[in-house]
Amino acid sequence: IDMGKTSVAADVAWISQYSHEQERVFPPLTHIQVRGKPVVDEGVSVITLQPTVSQHFLTVEEALRTRKDAMIKLATSLTEDVLHWMQQAQVNECGEDLTHLEKRLMSIIDVHDTMWFNMNFKFQQ
């Protein structure tokens, strides 16, 4: 196994039943890429691998904020969609009401902290 900067593995030989095998444990979502061609050495196929840990994990704060961000995007998207429909249908009476509604929705969303959105029973209310 070719270990590089993006390859992180824990050596578990100290707790392994087979410590002579030099076992490693990789984190979740580790990608393993075959490097080069397999080689037969003393009747054993040897394949060189290169693990790469995914660099696209969210931080805890980003993960917690996901639902709140989704509500903000939903409110904005809803308003934009209705305004677009109104332009297509040449309806002009409700534009100010929609802008006011979007601001009201944003203020309601703003009142709640990110943890409120992560409590399923409150999020469903």
Side-chain angles (χ1 to χ4, degrees), residues 70-83 102 106:
M71 293 304 294
I72 292 169
K73 288 177 186 173
L74 179 63
T76 303
S77 177
L78 177 63
T79 306
E80 288 173 358
D81 287 349
V82 173
L83 285 172
E102 181 182 17
M106 292 301 183

Side-chain angles (χ1 to χ4, degrees), residues 58-68 114 118:
L58 295 177
T59 64
V60 172
E61 292 79 15
E62 291 169 334
L64 288 173
R65 190 166 165 85
T66 303
R67 279 188 171 177
K68 186 170 185 173
T114 56
N118 288 296

Side-chain angles (χ1 to χ4, degrees), residues 55-115:
Q55 301 295 313
H56 300 290
F57 290 114
L58 295 177
T59 64
V60 172
E61 292 79 15
E62 291 169 334
L64 288 173
R65 190 166 165 85
T66 303
R67 279 188 171 177
K68 186 170 185 173
D69 288 344
M71 293 304 294
I72 292 169
K73 288 177 186 173
L74 179 63
T76 303
S77 177
L78 177 63
T79 306
E80 288 173 358
D81 287 349
V82 173
L83 285 172
H84 178 73
W85 173 83
M86 288 173 57
Q87 287 175 345
Q88 298 297 317
Q90 298 179 347
V91 176
N92 298 322
E93 301 89 55
C94 302
E96 286 183 24
D97 292 337
L98 279 173
T99 303
H100 177 70
L101 176 62
E102 181 182 17
K103 287 179 183 176
R104 178 73 180 120
L105 288 171
M106 292 301 183
S107 68
I108 292 169
I109 293 168
D110 242 10
V111 169
H112 300 291
D113 67 347
T114 56
M115 290 309 295

Side-chain angles (χ1 to χ4, degrees), residues 6-83:
T6 60
S7 306
V8 181
D11 181 357
V12 293
W14 63 278
I15 58 172
S16 175
Q17 183 176 358
Y18 306 101
S19 58
H20 64 281
E21 292 184 359
Q22 299 177 348
E23 294 174 271
R24 303 272 190 270
V25 178
F26 293 95
L29 302 177
T30 297
H31 303 275
I32 298 177
Q33 183 177 6
V34 176
R35 305 298 266 174
K37 294 184 178 185
V39 178
V40 177
D41 184 18
E42 297 181 20
V44 175
S45 294
V46 177
I47 302 170
T48 303
L49 304 173
Q50 182 178 23
T52 304
V53 176
S54 176
Q55 301 295 313
H56 300 290
F57 290 114
L58 295 177
T59 64
V60 172
E61 292 79 15
E62 291 169 334
L64 288 173
R65 190 166 165 85
T66 303
R67 279 188 171 177
K68 186 170 185 173
D69 288 344
M71 293 304 294
I72 292 169
K73 288 177 186 173
L74 179 63
T76 303
S77 177
L78 177 63
T79 306
E80 288 173 358
D81 287 349
V82 173
L83 285 172

